Amino acid sequence: MNKILGLHHITAIAGDAQRNYDFYTKTLGFRLVKKTVNFDDPQTYHFYFGDEVGTPGTILTFFPWANVRQGKNGAGMVTEIGYSVPKGSLDFWKSRFEKLNIRHDILSERFGEKYLSFQDSDGLWLNLIEAKHKDERKGRKTDEIKADVAIKGFHTVTLTLNNIKATAAILTEVFGYKQVEQDDNLYRYETDAVENAAIVDLLEMPEAQGGINAAGTNHHIAFRVKDEEDLMAIREKIVTRGLHITEKINRDYFYSLYFREPGGVLFEIATDNPGFATDETVENLGSSLQLPDQYKAMRDEIEKGLPELQM
Ligand code: ZN
């Protein structure tokens, strides 16, 4: 039985907090579903951007560090994030990026799917993809982004690796993915456990150098499980393979495990429970700063240290 339910969230690094907030909420139309701090560094925000209710498989999170240096993609990293968009919407997005001066490529096609690559305000590479399969998720609409063009959630992530073999073995032997397509040095893996956010692409580049994990690059990807029981079952399988994996960590909105897969990418496994509507209602998601128990007594000091955010 497959216990991994596709992607849960992806976490990347940004520079200026306001610029990051504006790009994901205004330019792309996501909702800030949680505004909290980095649990390991409470002087830094942790933003979660997703659909209206923060559904797993739609969540991109950021640690915005004001003075972080510019990062660079390389081997052993997640190098592209692919979002699913409605069929026929790419022309809208292309004109929007032109109008707003957002760096983007020409429309391309990969595995029979049209896509548009672009960079966020820190240089992070993202793709908007018209998925082949039926994606019935409803994207979040805004005044400028109507329902027929709204971004639905994750489609795929791409990992760049010197050699895909050991990473592919984790995907297929532990996570229940299957290789479904190949185009030259790009290998597509997919799970049938979920309809969406179900694809991982592995790009094999034997000569690629390591990158710099700083602004505009990804920090880790989290795969999704139903609950803590499934989480611990995956932990057991990873331990059996002789890989180092953390103990279960309470992230307030999910429970997590982390391990570095053999190709160098930091993988997290995260549960659906308890979800984002635990410390605020669905209606109020993201509207005020939420702190985990260990920092609640320090709220004044933490708020003073964080950059101001115009929402
Ligand atoms: Zn994470």
Side-chain angles (χ1 to χ4, degrees), residues 117-136:
S117 288
F118 66 105
Q119 284 182 297
D120 82 355
S121 43
D122 286 288
L124 184 73
W125 279 105
L126 304 155
N127 297 325
L128 296 180
I129 305 165
E130 292 184 5
K132 280 194 277 214
H133 70 276
K134 202 168 183 179
D135 185 343
E136 287 176 328

Side-chain angles (χ1 to χ4, degrees), residues 45-56:
Y45 278 123
H46 193 181
F47 294 155
Y48 291 75
F49 300 105
D51 69 0
E52 199 62 39
V53 297
T55 309

Side-chain angles (χ1 to χ4, degrees), residues 13 65 68-69 71-72 77 211-215 217-220:
I13 300 168
W65 281 307
V68 69
R69 69 172 167 155
K72 197 168 104 171
M77 293 170 78
I212 300 166
N213 198 202
T217 66
N218 291 289
H219 188 266
H220 64 267

Side-chain angles (χ1 to χ4, degrees), residues 9 11 220 258 268:
H9 68 269
T11 294
H220 64 267
Y258 299 83
E268 176 181 355

